[in-house]
Amino acid sequence: MGAAGKGRVFVGVRKKSGGRECPPKNVGDRNFMKNKGMKIKHPKLRGEWAELRFMTRAAEHGLCVTKPWGETARYDFAVEHEGHFVRVQVKSTMFKDRGGYSCTVRGCRGPYEGDPFDFLAAYLIPVDMWYIIPAERFSGQGSIVLYPQLKKSKYGPYKEAWHLLRGSVVDRIEACAAQDRPARVQAAWL
């Protein structure tokens, strides 16, 4: 009976053994996937690996992750929490730059323009750390440098800031109409 028949499913295949899939070593070990992305040389494959890491970590934080169909959306994921959706672009880096990690935050045609997504999820592969950064914090830039060891760095408040993806849900909307406005304007406010 295969691994799936025993109630276990393995996403990847480490090696073939007599036609059977073999589970990776140390499957239960949290560090099993840590830094494996450093070995992925092709940038597109490494990006897909980082997206899988994002989905896993978001699920661990109680978030529902949806992937748009195809590759034409201007964001990688829609993240939902209690009916509130935000758009997330995932980037990863392993490149050290002056004591920090340089992370490209641009598309194929240059810095992002307009309102393509709400948050950047930047994954620092060597230190297994995420930054959840509001898009307006780096608008118009082609890259940013993240310093995980500094306590007062520019992007420090966004280190592992998964709570930002939960957003805020509006419970109640209140309106107030001014007394001196015409009745038709007051009705529009209500």
Side-chain angles (χ1 to χ4, degrees), residues 4-166:
K6 295 180 183 175
R8 296 179 296 186
V9 177
F10 300 101
V11 175
V13 176
R14 186 169 53 89
K15 64 181 179 179
K16 292 225 177 208
S17 175
R20 299 177 325 195
E21 292 182 6
C22 296
K25 291 181 181 177
N26 304 322
V27 172
D29 184 6
R30 175 169 158 66
N31 294 324
F32 170 71
M33 290 288 290
K34 187 176 180 183
N35 297 333
K36 295 293 183 184
M38 303 270 296
K39 296 179 181 177
I40 303 171
K41 300 301 178 200
H42 193 280
K44 179 116 174 115
L45 294 176
R46 191 170 50 249
E48 291 172 350
W49 176 84
E51 287 182 0
L52 287 170
R53 298 282 291 159
F54 172 80
M55 290 189 311
T56 301
R57 190 68 63 89
E60 290 172 353
H61 286 276
L63 300 165
C64 181
V65 180
T66 303
K67 177 88 172 141
W69 177 258
E71 294 195 15
T72 58
R74 297 176 65 198
Y75 55 92
D76 291 322
F77 297 101
V79 176
E80 183 264 339
H81 181 73
E82 296 180 358
H84 177 75
F85 286 86
V86 292
R87 300 162 299 162
V88 178
Q89 179 69 32
V90 175
K91 297 290 185 180
S92 65
T93 186
M94 58 185 175
F95 301 107
K96 276 237 169 187
D97 181 25
R98 294 170 279 155
Y101 292 89
S102 178
C103 185
T104 302
V105 291
R106 56 175 295 219
C108 60
R109 294 187 176 121
Y112 293 109
E113 294 179 7
D115 185 27
F117 50 86
D118 304 304
F119 290 93
L120 170 74
Y123 183 50
L124 308 185
I125 297 170
V127 293
D128 188 32
M129 182 178 295
W130 287 94
Y131 281 75
I132 309 298
I133 306 170
E136 64 267 8
R137 294 290 291 147
F138 59 87
S139 181
Q141 294 179 235
S143 66
I144 59 174
V145 181
L146 303 167
Y147 297 92
Q149 73 282 4
L150 295 179
K151 292 183 191 231
K152 293 190 175 189
S153 65
K154 179 178 181 178
Y155 299 106
Y158 306 109
K159 190 184 331 180
E160 298 291 344
W162 294 94
H163 64 279
L164 295 176
L165 299 181
R166 288 186 184 88

